[in-house]
Amino acid sequence: MTRIEVRGLTKRYGHDTAVDDLSFTVEAGQVTGFLGPNGAGKSTTMKMVLGLAAPTSGSVTIGGRRYRDLPVPLTEVGALLDAGAVHPGRRACDHLLALAAGAGLPRRRVGEVLARTGLEPVARRRAGEFSLGMRQRLGIAGALLGDPRVLMFDEPVNGLDPEGIRWIRGLMRSLAAEGRAVLVSSHLMNEMAQTADHLVVIGRGRLIADTSVTEFLNGRGEGAVLVRAEDPAAFALRLTAAGAVVREGTGSAVVVSGLTAEEIGRLAACHGAVLSELTPQRPSLEDAFMELTGDSVEFQGVSA
Ligand code: ADP
């Protein structure tokens, strides 16, 4: 099984440490979400996997070998780092044919990746005429050309419309289902929770969490419960008597903590209270992520 192994990886630019003693593994057969606020060091890490930046110390290997030791890298690892990297005057098919020829891959692969990325109808159009979503697909077609076992995508859904986002999510899932190791970066927790099986969270270049998505979601504990009762004041008294903390919600709703939704339902049944809503309120994933990375966010000036 081909995996990416990052061990003690560090990258310094002058006095700044972009990646700081980072270790994690990207396993085959799953989507690993690489999560962190902007400036956390995700792109720098991905560049080091691809040999585009040299580590100050530590190592990163793909299937046990460093990138520069891979005989035909495109057949081992495919990456989408910057979708704008195609010459605007080039036709999509010519761009892919040139890539294939450069790596000694058969021409038929071009047709195959055009089909997989839905670009067949626009294969003869120039990249400069492409929308962002189509440029992303072209970048992904290039990454898939060598049928690699390892794939990396840097913020692939940035700027895409809902249809484009849905397509990328589906593609990641299907690549992982084929047994490939998929690493995808994002600064959006919700996005990752919908796509990834595993999460590697970093902040200021350091590892903050390395966990399955299920564990991460379960670890956030019980949130509050939104309750709408026919007689809110009377039911609030019952709830407080049962040990809950009751706060006012919007309209006639109250927000209850200290009891589960099931316990509140039983309490209502026991006292013959009529409820029209009983909704567990999980703290949002975005909140959980902010809590986790709060200290590590770099404060950057707003450019004019
Ligand atoms: P992310 O992808 O998580 O947004 P990056 O890897 O792009 O983060 O950046 C991490 C840090 O490294 C940032 O502080 C960034 O300014 C710095 N950095 C990245 N590339 C360079 C470079 N070529 N020279 C100097 N600093 C860099």
Side-chain angles (χ1 to χ4, degrees):
M1 283 293 192
T2 309
R3 49 158 80 119
I4 304 174
E5 287 178 308
V6 173
R7 294 293 174 264
L9 198 63
T10 298
K11 177 69 182 177
R12 286 197 198 95
Y13 290 108
H15 292 297
D16 295 334
T17 305
V19 175
D20 192 358
D21 195 19
L22 196 57
S23 297
F24 63 91
T25 302
V26 181
E27 298 287 355
Q30 59 183 27
V31 176
T32 299
F34 194 22
L35 195 63
N38 284 329
K42 304 180 297 293
S43 300
T44 305
T45 303
M46 289 177 143
K47 282 183 190 152
M48 286 192 278
V49 178
L50 293 170
L52 295 172
T56 306
S57 59
S59 70
V60 49
T61 55
I62 299 159
R65 286 182 295 184
R66 286 171 304 181
Y67 185 87
R68 67 163 183 261
D69 296 332
L70 301 173
V72 188
L74 215 55
T75 62
E76 311 272 350
V77 53
L80 175 76
L81 293 194
D82 176 8
V86 180
H87 189 283
R90 250 193 179 170
R91 296 180 200 283
C93 56
D94 290 340
H95 166 70
L96 294 170
L97 280 168
L99 276 183
L105 300 169
R107 288 174 67 94
R108 68 169 167 77
R109 283 297 300 154
V110 172
E112 287 167 12
V113 296
L114 283 169
R116 180 144 197 192
T117 52
L119 287 176
E120 273 171 325
V122 293
R124 299 201 50 75
R125 285 197 19 211
R126 295 181 199 282
E129 301 164 20
F130 278 14
S131 66
L132 175 65
M134 283 154 76
R135 283 207 304 277
Q136 292 284 66
R137 286 179 193 234
L138 183 56
I140 291 170
L144 296 176
L145 209 52
D147 198 16
R149 304 302 297 160
V150 172
L151 285 147
M152 294 199 310
F153 301 95
D154 195 6
E155 300 270 3
V157 303
N158 258 9
L160 293 189
D161 58 14
E163 152 62 20
I165 293 174
R166 208 166 36 240
W167 180 79
I168 296 239
R169 279 189 198 143
L171 179 79
M172 309 266 156
R173 303 281 346 137
S174 68
L175 291 169
E178 289 161 12
R180 298 175 215 262
V182 181
L183 180 66
V184 51
S185 77
S186 176
H187 62 284
L188 299 172
M189 179 73 220
N190 279 333
E191 176 52 38
M192 284 295 90
Q194 298 198 46
T195 319
D197 306 289
H198 197 85
L199 291 177
V200 170
V201 185
I202 66 168
R204 286 190 187 274
R206 299 190 72 93
L207 187 73
I208 293 177
D210 184 348
T211 170
S212 75
V213 171
T214 319
E215 259 172 51
F216 182 81
L217 295 179
N218 291 342
R220 289 181 307 120
E222 274 297 320
V225 183
L226 186 83
V227 179
R228 220 176 280 276
E230 198 176 56
D231 184 348
F235 193 53
L237 288 176
R238 301 280 186 204
L239 287 164
T240 331
V245 175
V246 182
R247 285 176 292 127
E248 272 184 35
T250 50
S252 63
V254 291
V255 179
V256 182
S257 43
L259 291 177
T260 65
E262 189 186 337
E263 286 164 345
I264 296 167
R266 286 184 191 283
L267 192 73
C270 184
H271 295 288
V274 177
L275 302 186
S276 57
E277 186 173 356
L278 184 61
T279 314
Q281 310 276 287
R282 280 206 169 258
S284 85
L285 284 172
E286 241 25 274
D287 289 346
F289 175 50
M290 294 302 280
E291 205 171 289
L292 205 57
T293 60
D295 294 341
S296 71
V297 176
E298 284 204 29
F299 292 97
Q300 290 160 346
V302 179
S303 53

